Every structure is written in C-alpha cells, then in structure tokens.
Amino acid sequence: GFEDFYQPGVYFCSCCFAAGAETPVYTSAMKFESNHGWPSFWTNVRGNVYEQRDMHRWRSELLCTRCNGHLGHVFRGEGLFISHCHPTDERHCVNSTCLVFAPAEGQEL
C-alpha cells in the first residue's frame, strides 16, 4: 500500500481513473507518517473531496466529488499537527486501493 510510500507526485481517485478520468484527491506534499497503518494526509485537493457522516455517525467518510467513491475517513483533534507541523489537526485516513499514484514530472516509480 501507500502507507510507507513517499515519492513526490499526485494521488488520483482510483474509481475515476478506472473510468478514464483523472481526479486528483491528494498530493505527496499533503502526506505524513501517522503510524496508524494507512496512508495519512493532513488535507485534500480542494473541491475534489467531500465528507459526510458515515453510518456509525461518529466519524466522517471521505468521498470523491466526481464519482462519490469512498476514499477513507477523516479524524480531527488527535494533536498530530503539533508533532508534524501541519496547519490542520486532521488525519485523512485513506485506503490505498482507492488511490492511483502518478509521479511528479521528471520522477520515476
């Protein structure tokens, strides 16, 4: 998965990508190591991800704006921004199978 993957580039929604569309949802600059076993991001590409309360009602599900595909969940108030120097106190916990990575220009996988 992408939890320990740190190359520069862009992460696209895998559902959109499979349908022939490139919807960027995160970038490598938004990624950080949270030690939670999932790829973690402190924010998303504005306008391409939205959230709604999931069926458990105590957490928010992250969804692709274009296809409504599930990406993961967002957690707030964990204090991770202090140790990682991020401007938000959010952890976007994203499933690796929901992402397709494209390396930054000039980079190879």
Side-chain angles (χ1 to χ4, degrees):
F2 290 120
E3 63 272 8
D4 56 0
F5 184 81
Y6 289 97
Q7 285 191 304
V10 177
Y11 295 87
F12 295 95
C13 169
S14 64
C15 290
C16 288
F17 197 82
E22 293 183 355
T23 307
V25 288
Y26 295 97
T27 70
S28 56
M30 300 168 178
K31 193 168 188 297
F32 72 100
E33 177 57 58
S34 68
N35 295 313
H36 284 90
W38 298 87
S40 297
F41 302 87
W42 56 270
T43 192
N44 54 261
V45 174
R46 187 178 304 252
N48 290 353
V49 177
Y50 73 98
E51 64 180 83
Q52 68 181 22
R53 290 282 182 198
D54 72 2
M55 62 186 225
H56 301 291
R57 309 295 298 159
W58 58 270
R59 62 184 182 179
S60 291
E61 181 180 17
L62 296 166
L63 300 142
C64 173
T65 301
R66 185 163 200 264
C67 73
N68 294 315
H70 173 82
L71 298 170
H73 293 91
V74 61
F75 300 93
R76 292 183 175 89
E78 297 178 316
L80 295 174
F81 74 102
I82 296 168
S83 59
H84 294 285
C85 300
H86 295 136
T88 68
D89 194 9
E90 298 181 4
R91 176 173 56 95
H92 294 222
C93 184
V94 182
N95 189 322
S96 289
T97 62
C98 300
L99 300 172
V100 171
F101 180 77
E105 190 173 324
Q107 301 289 315
E108 293 183 24
L109 280 178

